Amino acid sequence: SHFHQEEHCNNMLQCFMSYFYRSMRGDGLSDLMLPPVFAHNIVDFTVAEGAMLLRAVWDLCFQFLFLYVLIAIITGIVIDAFGGLRDKKDAEEEDIKTNCFVCNLGRFTLDQKGIG
């Protein structure tokens, strides 16, 4: 194909780095892929040049893995971080309500043994 140039792929590292660089500089890996060939029948869909079935599987896996799974992970991390902040604030408020600010004795101890 016209996308693959031999001088950019003499070994695995050089090939990986050249495709990685070219995909990052453009709109992603889709710039390096051949445009899809839409088949007229099921045989052409699976085995013809351009193999639309392979392209469709690749696109669906990309969408599922990167869009849905990674967004769910990032959202979970953010929600967990805010939940931790809320728990810390609740613990501080509970400490203020149940302990003396000056001597840090508990409310129950001061009620039982305190003077005044």
Side-chain angles (χ1 to χ4, degrees):
S1 98
H2 65 283
F3 292 108
H4 179 74
Q5 299 169 354
E6 290 298 325
E7 65 270 6
H8 292 179
C9 276
N10 292 328
N11 59 41
M12 184 62 87
L13 178 63
Q14 184 184 23
C15 193
F16 172 78
M17 292 305 292
S18 67
Y19 275 89
F20 181 76
Y21 175 77
R22 290 172 64 198
S23 66
M24 290 292 120
R25 298 279 298 170
D27 289 334
L29 195 58
S30 63
D31 284 349
L32 303 175
M33 296 174 73
L34 294 172
V37 177
F38 297 101
H40 297 289
N41 59 42
I42 191 71
V43 174
D44 291 340
F45 186 73
T46 57
V47 296
E49 185 171 333
M52 188 61 191
L53 178 64
L54 183 61
R55 176 71 183 263
V57 168
W58 169 260
D59 289 343
L60 288 173
C61 287
F62 175 83
Q63 182 170 355
F64 178 75
L65 181 66
F66 288 104
L67 297 182
Y68 299 137
V69 173
L70 288 179
I71 287 175
I73 290 171
I74 291 169
T75 303
I77 290 170
V78 169
I79 290 172
D80 187 50
F82 281 113
L85 290 173
R86 184 187 65 238
D87 292 344
K88 183 179 176 183
K89 182 178 101 32
D90 291 345
E92 290 173 354
E93 286 179 2
E94 183 68 22
D95 185 55
I96 289 171
K97 289 179 183 177
T98 59
N99 293 329
C100 175
F101 180 72
V102 177
C103 62
N104 202 26
L105 290 175
R107 171 182 269 173
F108 181 76
T109 304
L110 288 175
D111 287 344
Q112 295 298 316
K113 300 180 182 177
I115 299 173

